[in-house]
Amino acid sequence: MKLKKLSLRTRIFLAMILLVLLASILISAVAIFQYKEERQDYHKGRLERKEENIQTHLKRVLNGRQNTWEVKTENIPVIFKEEIFNVADIHKLQINLYDLEGELLISSKYELKRDIATCLDAEVLNSISNTAAHRFVDKHRENGEIFQSSYTYLTDQRFKPIAILNLPYLEKDDFLTKELEEFLRRIAYAYMLVLLMGIVIAFLLSKYITKSLKTISDKINATRLEKRNEKIEVSDTSEEISTLVNSYNSMIDELEESAVQLARSEREQAWREMAKQVAHEIKNPLTPMRLTVQNFQRKFDATDEKIHSKLDEYSKTLIQQIDTMSSIASAFSNFAKMPAQQNETLNVVKIVKLALDIFNEDYIFFTADQKEIIAKFDRTQLIRVITNLVKNGIQAIPEDQIPRIVINVGTQDNNVIVTVADNGAGVAEENMGKVFEPKFTTKTSGMGLGLAMVKNIVETYKGTITFTSERDKGTTFTVTFPKE
């Protein structure tokens, strides 16, 4: 699972380094195995050559003119009484001669200081007599050293066995071991150089292979529906990468076309919704205005003594409805207008107090964690945020309930935190996701633009607005924006 989390470039790099290491280990293992095989073949061949040469030398002694004794088993100790030492010294090997029953007849000086068997085992005698080559080699280890002992017949001129020739042989590997160590040392130096070259080549090759993929990945991560995306332009790439790049560029063309169509559709839908909302809100005051005019027209009497008071009442009614229509137009105008980022340095605590001065209600309480909290924000927009949130809280409190609204200003990390909490009816579960939508409202009056406008202002200043609500216990709105 951890390997899957590694990048393609890292995996290619590690794979190539691992390949070099495995190759070096494999070649070293093969070299050691080859050394062991050659060592065994060398000692085996050397023992055979020594045995052949000593056989030839001993036969010359047996058949030489200086030998006055009859060539038979009983005379072997006498014949080789002096010569066995000369032969052993010439060939640098210990020589033991046994009779055909396995009893020791004569031995050269024993340089290896090990006990000489005076009688051969039956296994040795049987192996010599029952094999076609009439030869047996015993191999064993003593004190960490490997010994071989060869047993073969010594024959006379008629090829009749007259004795058993035993040659103890110590496998001395000092020279071969030194050669192996020298070879492994040189191959280690060579592979260190190859490893360093492999690391450099693996790094460059993995970088080259993944360069195009990194470009494509960066472009894909930067792809956004709401902005114009650039196409990928890469050269000297493989056929697979070129296919991927062409597919991405084709997708960008289709995405751009879809984004244009989506933006056009969203604008048209927004204007339709806005037009429907404006028409709906304007119809509300137009109906009572029409009824007032019709009623005044039907009951108008120039001779009526109260005509002036009726005309005054009629005028007030029309002015009131006209003011309602004007407020509707202003609300939509304010919602559509993006707040300008003045970024003036101000004391948030002071401005929030100033915004609350227009409210005369004694159930509005203000607290601040500090006397002075400095931040960059537009004074007018901050006042609009506070007044809209407080008005929303006042309207959320039922008439039969003792109202309470608490505004708090504090800081957290490098952000300013403003909370407005009320003890109103709360937000229903099904309306949680609609609170900040334009034209959404649960009140009989108003157009549902206040919270949408607040969200618009706060997000313009890279802030956030959230709320928590509990049914019949109240709602708390939290505005967070950076100090700078």
Side-chain angles (χ1 to χ4, degrees):
M1 294 297 293
K2 293 183 178 180
L3 183 61
K4 292 182 178 179
K5 295 181 180 179
L6 297 177
S7 65
L8 177 61
R9 178 180 177 181
T10 303
R11 279 185 278 179
I12 293 174
F13 179 79
L14 293 178
M16 295 187 67
I17 298 303
L18 182 62
L19 185 62
V20 173
L21 291 176
L22 288 177
S24 62
I25 293 172
L26 181 61
I27 291 179
S28 300
V30 170
I32 294 173
F33 176 78
Q34 182 68 21
Y35 156 76
K36 291 182 178 179
E37 291 289 323
E38 290 181 354
R39 180 181 62 81
Q40 292 177 0
D41 294 341
Y42 168 78
H43 288 300
K44 179 181 178 182
R46 187 167 184 262
L47 179 58
E48 290 175 353
R49 290 191 300 272
K50 288 282 187 182
E51 184 180 280
E52 183 180 356
N53 295 333
I54 292 174
Q55 282 267 17
T56 302
H57 200 154
L58 292 177
K59 285 181 181 180
R60 287 181 179 178
V61 173
L62 287 174
N63 302 322
R65 295 179 179 180
Q66 296 179 354
N67 180 25
T68 58
W69 296 89
E70 182 183 357
V71 179
K72 59 181 182 179
T73 304
E74 292 79 2
N75 294 332
I76 292 296
V78 179
I79 297 173
F80 292 105
K81 182 178 181 181
E82 298 296 337
E83 288 298 327
I84 194 171
F85 299 104
N86 295 330
V87 175
D89 185 57
I90 291 172
H91 296 280
K92 305 300 180 183
L93 205 65
Q94 180 182 345
I95 300 174
N96 302 319
L97 291 174
Y98 295 84
D99 64 17
L100 299 179
E101 301 298 324
E103 293 293 333
L104 180 65
L105 296 174
I106 190 171
S107 175
S108 67
K109 184 179 179 180
Y110 184 48
E111 297 178 353
L112 299 178
K113 299 181 181 180
R114 43 190 307 269
D115 295 333
I116 302 173
T118 57
C119 183
L120 298 179
D121 295 336
E123 178 185 0
V124 177
L125 297 175
N126 291 333
S127 298
I128 297 174
S129 61
N130 296 331
T131 58
H134 298 295
R135 186 172 183 269
F136 175 76
V137 178
D138 175 36
K139 189 173 184 179
H140 59 278
R141 182 184 293 271
E142 286 186 17
N143 300 324
E145 295 180 325
I146 298 176
F147 291 89
Q148 292 190 63
S149 288
S150 69
Y151 299 88
T152 187
Y153 284 134
L154 177 65
T155 61
D156 58 10
Q157 289 181 339
R158 298 177 182 180
F159 300 101
K160 178 183 177 181
I162 59 173
I164 297 175
L165 173 64
N166 170 230
L167 301 177
Y169 174 77
L170 172 63
E171 295 185 2
K172 292 185 177 181
D173 296 327
D174 296 343
F175 174 76
L176 293 177
T177 302
K178 185 178 179 181
E179 288 293 314
L180 176 64
E181 291 176 352
E182 185 68 22
F183 172 76
L184 292 178
R185 187 180 302 110
R186 291 175 180 175
I187 202 172
Y189 292 149
Y191 268 101
M192 286 180 63
L193 179 61
V194 171
L195 181 61
L196 292 176
M197 294 175 60
I199 291 174
V200 175
I201 294 174
F203 176 79
L204 296 177
L205 187 58
S206 63
K207 183 177 181 181
Y208 172 76
I209 292 175
T210 58
K211 181 180 179 181
S212 299
L213 294 178
K214 182 66 167 57
T215 302
I216 295 172
S217 175
D218 293 340
K219 289 290 185 181
I220 291 176
N221 289 332
T223 302
R224 296 292 183 271
L225 181 62
E226 68 276 4
K227 70 175 187 178
R228 184 179 181 85
N229 299 288
E230 296 181 0
K231 294 183 178 181
I232 299 176
E233 295 181 2
V234 291
S235 58
D236 299 330
T237 59
S238 63
E239 182 179 352
E240 293 80 4
I241 299 296
S242 298
T243 302
L244 182 60
V245 169
N246 292 334
S247 299
Y248 173 81
N249 291 338
S250 177
M251 182 197 70
I252 289 299
D253 292 335
E254 295 176 1
L255 184 64
E256 185 174 349
E257 183 178 351
S258 299
V260 171
Q261 294 177 356
L262 179 61
R264 185 186 301 115
S265 176
E266 288 181 346
R267 286 194 299 269
E268 292 176 356
Q269 182 65 25
W271 279 112
R272 290 193 194 100
E273 293 295 325
M274 187 66 72
K276 285 163 58 176
Q277 182 70 9
V278 172
H280 174 74
E281 296 296 338
I282 290 179
K283 278 184 179 180
N284 289 336
L286 285 178
T287 300
M289 288 175 66
R290 180 182 178 85
L291 293 175
T292 301
V293 172
Q294 289 177 343
N295 184 51
F296 181 78
Q297 185 180 17
R298 185 176 60 254
K299 295 181 179 181
F300 179 74
D301 184 3
T303 61
D304 190 355
E305 295 179 356
K306 298 182 180 179
I307 187 62
H308 293 289
S309 60
K310 291 180 179 181
L311 181 60
D312 185 55
E313 183 180 352
Y314 163 73
S315 299
K316 288 180 179 179
T317 302
L318 290 180
I319 291 172
Q320 183 179 358
Q321 298 303 326
I322 291 171
D323 290 340
T324 301
M325 293 176 65
S326 177
S327 64
I328 293 171
S330 298
F332 279 107
S333 176
N334 290 333
F335 175 72
K337 182 181 179 181
M338 293 293 292
Q341 294 190 34
Q342 298 297 332
N343 288 334
E344 52 185 312
T345 302
L346 47 81
N347 183 357
V348 178
V349 177
K350 180 180 178 181
I351 300 303
V352 173
K353 284 183 179 180
L354 181 63
L356 296 175
D357 286 344
I358 64 173
F359 299 99
N360 298 320
E361 291 79 2
D362 56 0
Y363 54 78
I364 298 177
F365 302 93
F366 173 73
T367 61
D369 296 347
Q370 305 172 28
K371 292 183 179 180
E372 187 178 79
I373 298 176
I374 305 299
K376 288 186 177 181
F377 210 96
D378 184 83
R379 176 189 301 264
T380 303
Q381 301 300 343
L382 181 57
I383 292 175
R384 290 176 69 182
V385 169
I386 300 302
T387 53
N388 274 280
L389 289 176
V390 173
K391 285 181 179 179
N392 184 76
I394 293 173
Q395 294 172 355
I397 302 174
E399 295 181 358
D400 58 348
Q401 184 173 326
I402 300 175
R404 178 179 174 83
I405 296 178
V406 178
I407 300 92
N408 176 263
V409 179
T411 58
Q412 183 177 355
D413 297 331
N414 199 36
N415 295 322
V416 178
I417 309 296
V418 180
T419 59
V420 178
D422 63 66
N423 62 341
V427 181
E429 186 71 25
E430 63 273 13
N431 295 330
M432 288 286 187
K434 305 177 184 178
V435 170
F436 297 110
E437 291 183 2
K439 78 176 185 178
F440 172 77
T441 180
T442 57
K443 301 182 287 291
T444 55
S445 62
M447 290 154 288
L449 298 177
L451 291 178
M453 182 178 65
V454 169
K455 185 174 184 294
N456 192 11
I457 293 173
V458 173
E459 290 182 348
T460 300
Y461 288 88
K462 299 180 181 180
T464 60
I465 179 169
T466 59
F467 71 94
T468 57
S469 182
E470 191 173 351
R471 198 64 175 159
D472 298 326
K473 290 190 177 181
T475 303
T476 300
F477 283 89
T478 302
V479 175
T480 304
F481 57 89
K483 290 182 178 181
E484 298 182 356

Short mmCIF file of all heavy atoms in Angstrom, two decimals, residues 151-195:
data_model
loop_
_atom_site.label_atom_id
_atom_site.label_comp_id
_atom_site.label_asym_id
_atom_site.label_seq_id
_atom_site.Cartn_x
_atom_site.Cartn_y
_atom_site.Cartn_z
N TYR A 151 43.04 -43.37 -2.62
CA TYR A 151 43.51 -44.74 -2.45
C TYR A 151 43.46 -45.41 -3.82
O TYR A 151 42.42 -45.43 -4.49
CB TYR A 151 42.62 -45.51 -1.47
CG TYR A 151 42.60 -44.92 -0.07
CD1 TYR A 151 41.68 -43.93 0.26
CD2 TYR A 151 43.49 -45.35 0.90
CE1 TYR A 151 41.64 -43.40 1.53
CE2 TYR A 151 43.46 -44.82 2.18
CZ TYR A 151 42.53 -43.84 2.49
OH TYR A 151 42.49 -43.31 3.74
N THR A 152 44.59 -45.98 -4.24
CA THR A 152 44.67 -46.67 -5.52
C THR A 152 45.74 -47.76 -5.45
O THR A 152 46.61 -47.75 -4.55
CB THR A 152 44.99 -45.68 -6.65
OG1 THR A 152 44.91 -46.35 -7.90
CG2 THR A 152 46.38 -45.08 -6.50
N TYR A 153 45.67 -48.68 -6.39
CA TYR A 153 46.62 -49.79 -6.40
C TYR A 153 47.96 -49.35 -6.98
O TYR A 153 48.02 -48.58 -7.94
CB TYR A 153 46.09 -50.94 -7.24
CG TYR A 153 45.00 -51.76 -6.56
CD1 TYR A 153 43.83 -52.10 -7.24
CD2 TYR A 153 45.17 -52.21 -5.24
CE1 TYR A 153 42.84 -52.84 -6.64
CE2 TYR A 153 44.17 -52.96 -4.62
CZ TYR A 153 43.01 -53.25 -5.31
OH TYR A 153 42.04 -53.99 -4.70
N LEU A 154 49.04 -49.87 -6.37
CA LEU A 154 50.37 -49.76 -6.95
C LEU A 154 50.67 -51.12 -7.59
O LEU A 154 50.63 -52.16 -6.90
CB LEU A 154 51.41 -49.43 -5.87
CG LEU A 154 52.87 -49.35 -6.34
CD1 LEU A 154 53.05 -48.18 -7.31
CD2 LEU A 154 53.80 -49.17 -5.13
N THR A 155 50.96 -51.16 -8.89
CA THR A 155 51.10 -52.42 -9.62
C THR A 155 52.55 -52.64 -10.05
O THR A 155 53.36 -51.71 -10.11
CB THR A 155 50.18 -52.43 -10.85
OG1 THR A 155 50.57 -51.35 -11.72
CG2 THR A 155 48.73 -52.29 -10.45
N ASP A 156 52.86 -53.90 -10.38
CA ASP A 156 54.17 -54.23 -10.90
C ASP A 156 54.17 -54.12 -12.41
O ASP A 156 53.22 -53.57 -13.00
CB ASP A 156 54.59 -55.63 -10.44
CG ASP A 156 53.59 -56.71 -10.88
OD1 ASP A 156 52.69 -56.36 -11.71
OD2 ASP A 156 53.68 -57.84 -10.40
N GLN A 157 55.19 -54.71 -13.06
CA GLN A 157 55.29 -54.58 -14.52
C GLN A 157 54.17 -55.32 -15.23
O GLN A 157 53.82 -55.00 -16.36
CB GLN A 157 56.65 -55.12 -14.99
CG GLN A 157 57.81 -54.22 -14.61
CD GLN A 157 59.14 -54.77 -15.12
OE1 GLN A 157 59.28 -55.97 -15.40
NE2 GLN A 157 60.11 -53.87 -15.22
N ARG A 158 53.60 -56.31 -14.57
CA ARG A 158 52.52 -57.08 -15.16
C ARG A 158 51.14 -56.53 -14.75
O ARG A 158 50.13 -57.19 -14.94
CB ARG A 158 52.64 -58.54 -14.74
CG ARG A 158 53.94 -59.19 -15.22
CD ARG A 158 54.04 -60.60 -14.70
NE ARG A 158 55.30 -61.22 -15.12
CZ ARG A 158 55.66 -62.48 -14.79
NH1 ARG A 158 54.86 -63.22 -14.03
NH2 ARG A 158 56.81 -62.96 -15.20
N PHE A 159 51.14 -55.36 -14.19
CA PHE A 159 49.92 -54.68 -13.75
C PHE A 159 49.17 -55.46 -12.66
O PHE A 159 47.94 -55.39 -12.54
CB PHE A 159 48.98 -54.41 -14.93
CG PHE A 159 49.59 -53.55 -15.98
CD1 PHE A 159 50.10 -54.13 -17.14
CD2 PHE A 159 49.72 -52.19 -15.80
CE1 PHE A 159 50.69 -53.35 -18.12
CE2 PHE A 159 50.31 -51.40 -16.78
CZ PHE A 159 50.80 -51.98 -17.94
N LYS A 160 49.96 -56.21 -11.89
CA LYS A 160 49.39 -56.93 -10.77
C LYS A 160 49.52 -56.06 -9.51
O LYS A 160 50.60 -55.59 -9.20
CB LYS A 160 50.13 -58.25 -10.56
CG LYS A 160 49.63 -59.03 -9.37
CD LYS A 160 50.45 -60.31 -9.17
CE LYS A 160 49.99 -61.06 -7.93
NZ LYS A 160 50.79 -62.29 -7.69
N PRO A 161 48.37 -55.81 -8.79
CA PRO A 161 48.45 -54.99 -7.57
C PRO A 161 49.35 -55.63 -6.54
O PRO A 161 49.23 -56.83 -6.24
CB PRO A 161 47.00 -54.96 -7.08
CG PRO A 161 46.17 -55.28 -8.29
CD PRO A 161 46.99 -56.23 -9.09
N ILE A 162 50.26 -54.82 -6.02
CA ILE A 162 51.16 -55.31 -4.97
C ILE A 162 51.03 -54.50 -3.69
O ILE A 162 51.52 -54.92 -2.63
CB ILE A 162 52.61 -55.28 -5.45
CG1 ILE A 162 53.03 -53.84 -5.82
CG2 ILE A 162 52.83 -56.25 -6.61
CD1 ILE A 162 54.51 -53.70 -6.14
N ALA A 163 50.37 -53.32 -3.78
CA ALA A 163 50.19 -52.46 -2.59
C ALA A 163 49.08 -51.43 -2.87
O ALA A 163 48.62 -51.26 -4.01
CB ALA A 163 51.49 -51.77 -2.23
N ILE A 164 48.67 -50.81 -1.81
CA ILE A 164 47.67 -49.72 -1.91
C ILE A 164 48.38 -48.41 -1.60
O ILE A 164 48.96 -48.25 -0.51
CB ILE A 164 46.50 -49.95 -0.95
CG1 ILE A 164 45.74 -51.22 -1.32
CG2 ILE A 164 45.55 -48.74 -0.97
CD1 ILE A 164 44.63 -51.58 -0.33
N LEU A 165 48.32 -47.49 -2.56
CA LEU A 165 48.95 -46.18 -2.41
C LEU A 165 47.94 -45.19 -1.85
O LEU A 165 46.85 -44.99 -2.41
CB LEU A 165 49.47 -45.68 -3.76
CG LEU A 165 50.01 -44.24 -3.79
CD1 LEU A 165 51.24 -44.09 -2.90
CD2 LEU A 165 50.33 -43.83 -5.23
N ASN A 166 48.30 -44.58 -0.73
CA ASN A 166 47.44 -43.57 -0.09
C ASN A 166 48.16 -42.23 -0.08
O ASN A 166 49.30 -42.13 0.38
CB ASN A 166 47.10 -43.99 1.34
CG ASN A 166 46.42 -42.87 2.12
OD1 ASN A 166 46.83 -42.56 3.24
ND2 ASN A 166 45.40 -42.24 1.56
N LEU A 167 47.46 -41.22 -0.62
CA LEU A 167 48.01 -39.86 -0.67
C LEU A 167 47.09 -38.91 0.10
O LEU A 167 46.04 -38.49 -0.40
CB LEU A 167 48.15 -39.39 -2.11
CG LEU A 167 49.05 -40.23 -3.01
CD1 LEU A 167 49.04 -39.67 -4.43
CD2 LEU A 167 50.48 -40.25 -2.47
N PRO A 168 47.41 -38.56 1.34
CA PRO A 168 46.63 -37.51 2.05
C PRO A 168 46.94 -36.14 1.43
O PRO A 168 48.11 -35.81 1.20
CB PRO A 168 47.15 -37.58 3.48
CG PRO A 168 47.86 -38.90 3.58
CD PRO A 168 48.41 -39.17 2.22
N TYR A 169 45.86 -35.38 1.19
CA TYR A 169 46.03 -34.10 0.46
C TYR A 169 45.22 -33.01 1.16
O TYR A 169 44.02 -33.16 1.41
CB TYR A 169 45.54 -34.28 -0.99
CG TYR A 169 45.52 -33.00 -1.80
CD1 TYR A 169 46.70 -32.47 -2.31
CD2 TYR A 169 44.33 -32.34 -2.06
CE1 TYR A 169 46.69 -31.31 -3.07
CE2 TYR A 169 44.29 -31.17 -2.82
CZ TYR A 169 45.48 -30.67 -3.32
OH TYR A 169 45.46 -29.51 -4.08
N LEU A 170 45.90 -31.94 1.53
CA LEU A 170 45.26 -30.79 2.18
C LEU A 170 44.94 -29.74 1.12
O LEU A 170 45.83 -29.32 0.37
CB LEU A 170 46.18 -30.19 3.25
CG LEU A 170 45.70 -28.86 3.88
CD1 LEU A 170 44.39 -29.04 4.62
CD2 LEU A 170 46.78 -28.31 4.81
N GLU A 171 43.64 -29.33 1.07
CA GLU A 171 43.23 -28.31 0.10
C GLU A 171 43.59 -26.93 0.64
O GLU A 171 42.88 -26.37 1.49
CB GLU A 171 41.71 -28.40 -0.16
CG GLU A 171 41.28 -29.68 -0.81
CD GLU A 171 39.80 -29.68 -1.16
OE1 GLU A 171 39.14 -28.64 -0.91
OE2 GLU A 171 39.30 -30.70 -1.67
N LYS A 172 44.68 -26.41 0.17
CA LYS A 172 45.09 -25.06 0.57
C LYS A 172 44.56 -24.06 -0.44
O LYS A 172 44.91 -24.12 -1.63
CB LYS A 172 46.61 -24.97 0.65
CG LYS A 172 47.21 -25.81 1.78
CD LYS A 172 48.71 -25.59 1.88
CE LYS A 172 49.28 -26.38 3.05
NZ LYS A 172 50.74 -26.17 3.21
N ASP A 173 43.71 -23.16 0.07
CA ASP A 173 43.03 -22.20 -0.82
C ASP A 173 43.52 -20.77 -0.63
O ASP A 173 42.82 -19.81 -0.97
CB ASP A 173 41.51 -22.23 -0.57
CG ASP A 173 40.92 -23.59 -0.92
OD1 ASP A 173 41.43 -24.21 -1.86
OD2 ASP A 173 39.96 -24.00 -0.24
N ASP A 174 44.68 -20.58 -0.04
CA ASP A 174 45.14 -19.23 0.23
C ASP A 174 45.24 -18.40 -1.05
O ASP A 174 44.77 -17.27 -1.12
CB ASP A 174 46.51 -19.27 0.92
CG ASP A 174 46.41 -19.95 2.28
OD1 ASP A 174 45.28 -20.07 2.79
OD2 ASP A 174 47.46 -20.37 2.81
N PHE A 175 45.84 -18.99 -2.07
CA PHE A 175 46.02 -18.25 -3.32
C PHE A 175 44.67 -17.97 -3.99
O PHE A 175 44.39 -16.84 -4.41
CB PHE A 175 46.93 -19.04 -4.25
CG PHE A 175 47.06 -18.41 -5.62
CD1 PHE A 175 47.85 -17.29 -5.80
CD2 PHE A 175 46.37 -18.94 -6.71
CE1 PHE A 175 47.97 -16.70 -7.06
CE2 PHE A 175 46.48 -18.35 -7.96
CZ PHE A 175 47.28 -17.24 -8.14
N LEU A 176 43.82 -19.01 -4.06
CA LEU A 176 42.51 -18.84 -4.71
C LEU A 176 41.63 -17.87 -3.94
O LEU A 176 40.91 -17.06 -4.53
CB LEU A 176 41.82 -20.20 -4.85
CG LEU A 176 42.49 -21.20 -5.80
CD1 LEU A 176 41.75 -22.52 -5.77
CD2 LEU A 176 42.52 -20.64 -7.22
N THR A 177 41.69 -17.97 -2.60
CA THR A 177 40.90 -17.04 -1.79
C THR A 177 41.36 -15.61 -1.98
O THR A 177 40.54 -14.68 -2.07
CB THR A 177 41.00 -17.43 -0.30
OG1 THR A 177 40.56 -18.77 -0.14
CG2 THR A 177 40.14 -16.51 0.55
N LYS A 178 42.66 -15.43 -2.05
CA LYS A 178 43.20 -14.09 -2.29
C LYS A 178 42.76 -13.56 -3.65
O LYS A 178 42.39 -12.38 -3.79
CB LYS A 178 44.71 -14.12 -2.20
CG LYS A 178 45.38 -12.76 -2.32
CD LYS A 178 46.88 -12.87 -2.16
CE LYS A 178 47.54 -11.49 -2.30
NZ LYS A 178 49.01 -11.58 -2.17
N GLU A 179 42.78 -14.43 -4.66
CA GLU A 179 42.33 -14.03 -5.99
C GLU A 179 40.85 -13.65 -5.98
O GLU A 179 40.43 -12.67 -6.61
CB GLU A 179 42.58 -15.17 -6.98
CG GLU A 179 44.03 -15.38 -7.33
CD GLU A 179 44.59 -14.20 -8.11
OE1 GLU A 179 43.94 -13.74 -9.05
OE2 GLU A 179 45.69 -13.73 -7.75
N LEU A 180 40.05 -14.45 -5.25
CA LEU A 180 38.61 -14.14 -5.17
C LEU A 180 38.37 -12.81 -4.47
O LEU A 180 37.55 -12.00 -4.92
CB LEU A 180 37.88 -15.27 -4.42
CG LEU A 180 36.38 -15.03 -4.18
CD1 LEU A 180 35.63 -14.98 -5.51
CD2 LEU A 180 35.79 -16.12 -3.29
N GLU A 181 39.06 -12.58 -3.36
CA GLU A 181 38.90 -11.32 -2.64
C GLU A 181 39.30 -10.14 -3.51
O GLU A 181 38.64 -9.09 -3.51
CB GLU A 181 39.73 -11.34 -1.35
CG GLU A 181 39.20 -12.32 -0.31
CD GLU A 181 40.11 -12.39 0.91
OE1 GLU A 181 41.21 -11.79 0.86
OE2 GLU A 181 39.71 -13.04 1.90
N GLU A 182 40.38 -10.30 -4.27
CA GLU A 182 40.81 -9.24 -5.17
C GLU A 182 39.77 -8.99 -6.26
O GLU A 182 39.46 -7.84 -6.59
CB GLU A 182 42.16 -9.61 -5.79
CG GLU A 182 42.78 -8.51 -6.65
CD GLU A 182 43.21 -7.31 -5.84
OE1 GLU A 182 43.43 -7.46 -4.60
OE2 GLU A 182 43.33 -6.21 -6.42
N PHE A 183 39.21 -10.08 -6.80
CA PHE A 183 38.19 -9.94 -7.83
C PHE A 183 36.94 -9.25 -7.28
O PHE A 183 36.39 -8.34 -7.91
CB PHE A 183 37.83 -11.32 -8.37
CG PHE A 183 36.65 -11.32 -9.30
CD1 PHE A 183 36.76 -10.86 -10.61
CD2 PHE A 183 35.41 -11.76 -8.86
CE1 PHE A 183 35.67 -10.85 -11.46
CE2 PHE A 183 34.31 -11.75 -9.70
CZ PHE A 183 34.45 -11.29 -11.01
N LEU A 184 36.49 -9.68 -6.09
CA LEU A 184 35.29 -9.07 -5.50
C LEU A 184 35.54 -7.61 -5.15
O LEU A 184 34.63 -6.78 -5.26
CB LEU A 184 34.88 -9.85 -4.24
CG LEU A 184 34.35 -11.28 -4.48
CD1 LEU A 184 34.03 -11.96 -3.15
CD2 LEU A 184 33.11 -11.26 -5.36
N ARG A 185 36.77 -7.28 -4.72
CA ARG A 185 37.08 -5.89 -4.41
C ARG A 185 37.00 -5.02 -5.67
O ARG A 185 36.42 -3.94 -5.67
CB ARG A 185 38.47 -5.80 -3.78
CG ARG A 185 38.82 -4.39 -3.26
CD ARG A 185 40.20 -4.35 -2.66
NE ARG A 185 40.37 -5.29 -1.58
CZ ARG A 185 41.12 -6.38 -1.62
NH1 ARG A 185 41.79 -6.67 -2.74
NH2 ARG A 185 41.22 -7.19 -0.60
N ARG A 186 37.58 -5.54 -6.75
CA ARG A 186 37.53 -4.77 -8.00
C ARG A 186 36.11 -4.64 -8.54
O ARG A 186 35.71 -3.57 -9.01
CB ARG A 186 38.42 -5.46 -9.04
CG ARG A 186 39.91 -5.37 -8.72
CD ARG A 186 40.74 -6.16 -9.70
NE ARG A 186 42.18 -6.06 -9.39
CZ ARG A 186 43.12 -6.73 -10.03
NH1 ARG A 186 42.78 -7.56 -11.01
NH2 ARG A 186 44.39 -6.59 -9.69
N ILE A 187 35.35 -5.74 -8.46
CA ILE A 187 33.98 -5.66 -8.96
C ILE A 187 33.13 -4.76 -8.08
O ILE A 187 32.18 -4.12 -8.55
CB ILE A 187 33.37 -7.08 -9.06
CG1 ILE A 187 32.20 -7.05 -10.08
CG2 ILE A 187 32.84 -7.59 -7.74
CD1 ILE A 187 31.66 -8.43 -10.40
N ALA A 188 33.47 -4.68 -6.77
CA ALA A 188 32.75 -3.76 -5.88
C ALA A 188 33.01 -2.31 -6.29
O ALA A 188 32.07 -1.49 -6.33
CB ALA A 188 33.17 -3.99 -4.43
N TYR A 189 34.27 -1.99 -6.59
CA TYR A 189 34.59 -0.63 -7.05
C TYR A 189 33.85 -0.33 -8.35
O TYR A 189 33.29 0.76 -8.54
CB TYR A 189 36.10 -0.49 -7.26
CG TYR A 189 36.91 -0.54 -5.99
CD1 TYR A 189 38.20 -1.04 -5.97
CD2 TYR A 189 36.36 -0.08 -4.78
CE1 TYR A 189 38.94 -1.10 -4.80
CE2 TYR A 189 37.10 -0.13 -3.61
CZ TYR A 189 38.39 -0.64 -3.63
OH TYR A 189 39.11 -0.69 -2.47
N ALA A 190 33.86 -1.32 -9.25
CA ALA A 190 33.20 -1.11 -10.54
C ALA A 190 31.71 -0.89 -10.35
O ALA A 190 31.11 0.01 -10.97
CB ALA A 190 33.45 -2.32 -11.45
N TYR A 191 31.09 -1.66 -9.46
CA TYR A 191 29.65 -1.51 -9.27
C TYR A 191 29.29 -0.27 -8.46
O TYR A 191 28.18 0.24 -8.58
CB TYR A 191 29.06 -2.77 -8.63
CG TYR A 191 28.59 -3.74 -9.68
CD1 TYR A 191 29.35 -4.84 -10.02
CD2 TYR A 191 27.40 -3.54 -10.37
CE1 TYR A 191 28.94 -5.72 -11.00
CE2 TYR A 191 26.98 -4.40 -11.34
CZ TYR A 191 27.75 -5.50 -11.67
OH TYR A 191 27.34 -6.36 -12.64
N MET A 192 30.19 0.18 -7.63
CA MET A 192 29.94 1.48 -6.97
C MET A 192 29.89 2.59 -8.02
O MET A 192 29.01 3.47 -7.96
CB MET A 192 31.03 1.76 -5.94
CG MET A 192 30.92 0.93 -4.67
SD MET A 192 32.23 1.30 -3.48
CE MET A 192 31.88 3.01 -3.12
N LEU A 193 30.82 2.52 -8.98
CA LEU A 193 30.80 3.49 -10.06
C LEU A 193 29.53 3.34 -10.91
O LEU A 193 28.88 4.32 -11.26
CB LEU A 193 32.05 3.33 -10.93
CG LEU A 193 32.16 4.27 -12.15
CD1 LEU A 193 32.19 5.72 -11.69
CD2 LEU A 193 33.40 3.94 -12.96
N VAL A 194 29.18 2.07 -11.21
CA VAL A 194 27.96 1.83 -12.00
C VAL A 194 26.73 2.29 -11.23
O VAL A 194 25.79 2.84 -11.81
CB VAL A 194 27.86 0.33 -12.34
CG1 VAL A 194 26.50 0.01 -12.97
CG2 VAL A 194 28.97 -0.07 -13.28
N LEU A 195 26.73 2.08 -9.90
CA LEU A 195 25.59 2.50 -9.09
C LEU A 195 25.43 4.01 -9.10
O LEU A 195 24.31 4.52 -9.24
CB LEU A 195 25.77 1.99 -7.65
CG LEU A 195 24.63 2.32 -6.68
CD1 LEU A 195 23.33 1.71 -7.16
CD2 LEU A 195 24.96 1.83 -5.28
#
